[in-house]
Amino acid sequence: ELKVEQNPLFLSMQEGKNYTIYCNYSTTSDRLYWYRQDPGKSLESLFVLLSNGAVKQEGRLMASLDTKARLSTLHITAAVHDLSATYFCAGNTGTASKLTFGTGTRLQVTL
Amino acid sequence: GAVVSQHPSRVICKSGTSVKIECRSLDFQATTMFWYRQFPKQSLMLMATSNEGSKATYEQGVEKDKFLINHASLTLSTLTVTSAHPEDSSFYICSAERGGGGYTGELFFGEGSRLTVL
């Protein structure tokens, strides 16, 4: 059974600072997803990582995947207030694309 | 891009009544859809896999008689919460997997449906 853990659970950071969210998973996952969720809203897809060493970047966010370590990271560069949200990573197993979500990291960027 | 629509976005009902939530894929066919539940400040938990033309597959601990899932067409899955109770109050989110050729490995999520049971 796939288990996905994130840390930290809560992150308060100042604008302009850099930080990394970590996502560890317990067994092999075909792919690793990152999502953003704003309060009261559904999920917004950020990244899909398909293979070992994959790195994807969009704006101030960069995600990477190390399948050997079973670790994905979401790096935030020069945070801005608009990035405040909850971020989830998720993995899947087998051929079915049903996801197991991490605990989520609530990011608060302060001015 | 692909869009998955859920309806209603919010519903308030009395305890003991049943509520139906619809999940539609608007511009692609979805042979498989997934239903998740999210309690406040918690993560998403998979409830069941909805399969077009066959019975849904429920995750362990999810009562199939309470959460009825129907996937009668390639664009529509419904979740019916039967005899709802306050503990069923939650945010329900569906996702749809693109069926057929050209599968990209990306899932599309609905906007979510917030159920409040009084």
Side-chain angles (χ1 to χ4, degrees):
Chain A
E1 179 188 349
L2 175 65
K3 294 189 178 179
V4 182
E5 293 184 352
Q6 282 179 244
N7 69 85
L9 298 182
F10 177 73
L11 176 57
S12 180
M13 55 190 299
Q14 289 182 321
E15 274 201 334
K17 300 291 187 182
N18 304 332
Y19 210 82
T20 300
I21 300 171
Y22 297 89
C23 174
N24 292 91
Y25 54 99
S26 61
T27 65
T28 302
S29 180
D30 292 340
R31 52 190 69 94
L32 200 292
Y33 299 81
W34 283 97
Y35 293 94
R36 167 181 172 147
Q37 186 178 39
D38 291 299
K41 303 291 185 181
S42 188
L43 301 180
E44 174 189 348
S45 179
L46 296 176
F47 302 107
V48 182
L49 304 169
L50 301 178
S51 59
N52 187 43
V55 177
K56 289 193 175 180
Q57 183 165 4
E58 181 72 34
R60 301 175 188 273
L61 301 178
M62 182 174 71
S64 66
L65 178 62
D66 181 343
T67 57
K68 294 180 181 178
R70 293 177 184 162
L71 170 69
S72 181
T73 61
L74 181 67
H75 187 73
I76 303 153
T77 302
V80 292
H81 182 66
D82 286 351
L83 290 179
S84 297
T86 299
Y87 293 84
F88 291 97
C89 65
N92 73 318
T93 54
T95 56
S97 290
K98 59 182 187 179
L99 301 186
T100 299
F101 282 84
T103 46
T105 297
R106 188 159 76 91
L107 172 65
Q108 185 175 66
V109 181
T110 57
L111 299 172
Chain B
V3 176
V4 174
S5 177
Q6 276 184 248
H7 178 80
S9 58
R10 292 178 181 272
V11 56
I12 301 172
C13 69
K14 292 182 179 179
S15 186
T17 61
S18 294
V19 174
K20 181 185 286 188
I21 301 170
E22 295 184 345
C23 178
R24 293 181 185 274
S25 56
L26 298 184
D27 57 359
F28 66 97
Q29 293 181 331
T31 55
T32 306
M33 293 183 176
F34 303 90
W35 286 97
Y36 296 83
R37 180 168 55 183
Q38 184 181 32
F39 292 111
K41 299 191 185 303
Q42 294 189 22
S43 187
L44 282 78
M45 298 297 294
L46 178 67
M47 299 175 66
T49 303
S50 176
N51 304 297
E52 187 269 335
S54 64
K55 291 183 179 180
T57 306
Y58 290 83
E59 295 300 302
Q60 192 172 11
V62 177
E63 300 175 58
K64 60 181 68 176
D65 293 331
K66 181 167 186 61
F67 298 100
L68 300 179
I69 291 173
N70 184 275
H71 195 153
S73 77
L74 286 170
T75 59
L76 174 64
S77 174
T78 60
L79 168 68
T80 301
V81 183
T82 63
S83 187
H85 290 284
E87 57 265 31
D88 298 323
S89 299
S90 187
F91 194 47
Y92 293 87
I93 306 175
C94 71
S95 70
E97 175 183 357
R98 194 194 307 264
Y103 175 57
T104 64
E106 183 178 11
L107 302 179
F108 303 96
F109 282 85
E111 309 99 324
S113 299
R114 185 165 303 282
L115 170 64
T116 302
V117 184
L118 303 176

